[in-house]
Amino acid sequence: MTYSLDRIEGKVAVLVNENGESKILPADELEANIEGSMFSEINGRLVFDEELTRARRERLAKRAKNMFKKQGET
């Protein structure tokens, strides 16, 4: 199961999985605390997934770029 860091509220981190389920943890327990960071659940622990985070950010950047293209532009 993978989770995305949705937000940090004070000292707690709110993570959301692909099913929309939330998990709340102390923010200082996470290896990375940048919103949008991706984590894989391994043996009951959330582990920062650098490759998944990079791929997700690239995909979102491409989507944002495509949203703002002028009509007819390729």
Side-chain angles (χ1 to χ4, degrees):
M1 179 78 54
T2 59
Y3 288 83
S4 170
L5 178 56
D6 184 57
R7 64 189 178 279
I8 296 181
E9 297 178 351
K11 294 184 179 188
V12 298
V14 179
L15 297 104
V16 180
N17 68 19
E18 57 265 16
N19 298 324
E21 300 166 332
S22 296
K23 190 174 273 212
I24 298 173
L25 299 171
D28 61 0
E29 286 187 12
L30 298 176
E31 297 173 54
N33 60 4
I34 299 170
E35 291 177 4
S37 295
M38 299 298 294
F39 296 83
S40 295
E41 191 168 24
I42 301 172
N43 297 326
R45 285 193 68 227
L46 290 178
V47 178
F48 176 62
D49 191 324
E50 187 174 347
E51 180 62 27
L52 193 56
T53 299
R54 183 193 59 73
R56 181 176 188 263
R57 288 191 176 135
E58 286 177 1
R59 187 175 66 250
L60 291 174
K62 185 176 180 179
R63 184 182 298 168
K65 182 179 176 183
N66 289 336
M67 283 176 44
F68 295 105
K69 278 186 177 179
K70 293 180 182 174
Q71 190 172 11
E73 207 176 293
T74 58

